[in-house]
Amino acid sequence: MAGGGAVVANDGLPAADYGGRLTLSVLTTCLVAASGGLIFGYDIGISGGVSQMEPFLERFFPHVLARMAAAKRDDYCLYDSQALTAFTSSLYVAGLVASLVASRVTKAVGRQRIMLMGGALFFAGGAITGAAVNIAMLIIGRMLLGFGVGFTNQDSTSVHATPLFLAEMAPTQWRGSLTAGFQFFLAVGVLTANLVNYATARISWGWRLSLGLAGAPAVIIFLGALFLTDTPSSLVMRGRTDDAPRRSRPRARGERGRGRGAQRHCALR
């Protein structure tokens, strides 16, 4: 309920404060989570600009470009190519399919491994679309990006592998600020995609650069996840109750001077 005052536990006593500091591990987790949002936003924003670049259309969709050139009044309804629609929408379809199974997979293997897999999928998708020589490569690359989105950046009705990892690792007093960083960098990703498209629109191979740059933040999320421990909640869900309070959370949050029982209770918060 609204109002001021201290937070109290169910027994009426003040809730225990188990501390926690902003450690290097927490900041690294923020960078990894931000990379997930950046990739998501970039992939959302990049396809609209690329699909209007003449070198891109000339190579893969010449009939669309011919219709644009022959238009007498405007470009309305000149993008009714099924193949061009498949290029744009394949990311969202793949993300939808992946999100249907991602919750169970994330619960089974843990947040860290899902982030590793997502980073690899993002990098492979960006590399394939950037080096595409036919429509099939474009669609396959976009589908790999979509699978990465579905596993690492799921909606609020499911398990957010990257945002949830951040929320579970962040110190209590910093949790809101750090988790909001994911949404901030998602918007930054959309803005970056539009700026990149603007800068590369006049280059004959600019569409390759626009599509391939999705692999840059993927490297960050993959390498960053290699050095992170899994979250205490994920370890407990997989039956590893001893590892959760004893290793994961104290090392990630810099919690010191706590008894084992206090650490265990704290890890499950």
Side-chain angles (χ1 to χ4, degrees):
M1 60 183 290
V7 178
V8 296
N10 291 335
D11 56 4
L13 299 176
D17 180 12
Y18 293 97
R21 298 174 297 123
L22 276 179
T23 65
L24 178 61
S25 179
V26 171
L27 294 177
T28 304
T29 304
C30 295
L31 180 60
V32 172
S35 299
L38 187 64
I39 295 173
F40 191 14
Y42 189 88
D43 290 334
I44 290 175
I46 202 66
S47 60
V50 169
S51 62
Q52 297 185 49
M53 295 182 182
E54 290 191 7
F56 176 79
L57 294 174
E58 183 178 3
R59 183 177 183 89
F60 298 105
F61 309 98
H63 60 287
V64 174
L65 188 61
R67 293 186 61 181
M68 290 176 60
K72 297 181 179 180
R73 298 185 60 183
D74 53 43
D75 292 345
Y76 182 69
C77 283
L78 298 181
Y79 287 86
D80 59 348
S81 168
Q82 298 299 320
L84 184 57
T85 301
F87 161 72
T88 303
S89 61
S90 54
L91 181 144
Y92 305 102
V93 174
L96 173 63
V97 173
S99 67
L100 296 177
V101 298
S103 295
R104 293 183 180 275
V105 176
T106 302
K107 180 179 179 181
V109 305
R111 285 63 154 138
Q112 181 195 26
R113 293 180 181 176
I114 289 295
M115 286 193 293
L116 287 171
M117 183 179 67
L121 288 171
F122 283 133
F123 182 81
I128 291 175
T129 53
V133 296
N134 52 49
I135 297 177
M137 289 185 67
L138 288 175
I139 295 177
I140 291 174
R142 291 281 290 179
M143 289 182 67
L144 291 177
L145 292 170
F147 288 138
V149 168
F151 277 105
T152 60
N153 305 308
Q154 302 159 58
D155 61 51
S156 59
T157 62
S158 187
V159 179
H160 315 244
T162 303
L164 184 58
F165 187 100
L166 176 56
E168 291 176 347
M169 281 297 201
T172 306
Q173 65 270 31
W174 293 97
R175 188 169 297 156
S177 300
L178 296 182
T179 54
F182 180 84
Q183 303 298 331
F184 172 77
F185 277 97
L186 191 152
V188 171
V190 175
L191 175 62
T192 302
N194 284 275
L195 294 177
V196 169
N197 281 335
Y198 179 80
T200 60
R202 296 173 179 82
I203 305 175
S204 60
W205 47 270
W207 62 271
R208 292 191 183 276
L209 183 60
S210 294
L211 295 175
L213 279 178
V219 174
I220 298 176
I221 191 173
F222 183 85
L223 294 180
L226 286 176
F227 297 97
L228 299 179
T229 59
D230 214 338
T231 67
S233 297
S234 178
L235 292 171
V236 169
M237 292 172 66
R238 288 148 55 198
R240 299 173 59 185
T241 55
D242 291 337
D243 289 345
R246 186 165 55 88
R247 297 179 181 177
S248 181
R249 180 159 168 163
R251 181 169 63 178
R253 298 198 190 172
E255 292 165 349
R256 312 179 282 189
R258 307 293 176 186
R260 180 164 298 184
Q263 285 184 0
R264 179 174 291 109
H265 178 76
C266 178
L268 299 178
R269 287 168 57 219

